[in-house]
Amino acid sequence: MRKNRSARVFGGMMLLSWLTIPFIGRQHIKRYLSSTMFISFLIMVESYIAEKTSGGYSLILPIHI
């Protein structure tokens, strides 16, 4: 039950963020698109490294948690 509620909250937050796009305006979307794509790429690389190294902490923290 709790997992289903969390999924609903997460889905609602995503839907709300997508519904605000028409109010932002074309000029602001063009302005921030490049930084959004760069951050998305960094997150993809980080996810790939974390998957390969069982959590990603082995590259950042040499201490085993």
Side-chain angles (χ1 to χ4, degrees):
M1 181 76 172
R2 185 168 177 91
K3 191 174 188 179
N4 191 16
R5 183 176 178 199
S6 297
R8 284 186 192 171
V9 170
F10 181 69
M13 288 171 48
M14 285 191 58
L15 181 65
L16 183 65
S17 67
W18 279 102
L19 289 175
T20 59
I21 288 179
F23 301 112
I24 294 173
R26 175 173 264 148
Q27 188 177 23
H28 292 290
I29 291 174
K30 285 183 180 179
R31 181 178 180 182
Y32 295 111
L33 184 63
S34 60
S35 62
T36 303
M37 296 299 286
F38 179 71
I39 294 298
S40 297
F41 177 73
L42 286 180
I43 290 173
M44 284 181 6
V45 169
E46 180 187 15
S47 298
Y48 178 76
I49 292 171
E51 186 177 308
K52 292 291 183 183
T53 60
S54 70
Y57 291 110
S58 62
L59 293 177
I60 300 169
L61 298 172
I63 302 169
H64 296 285
I65 298 174

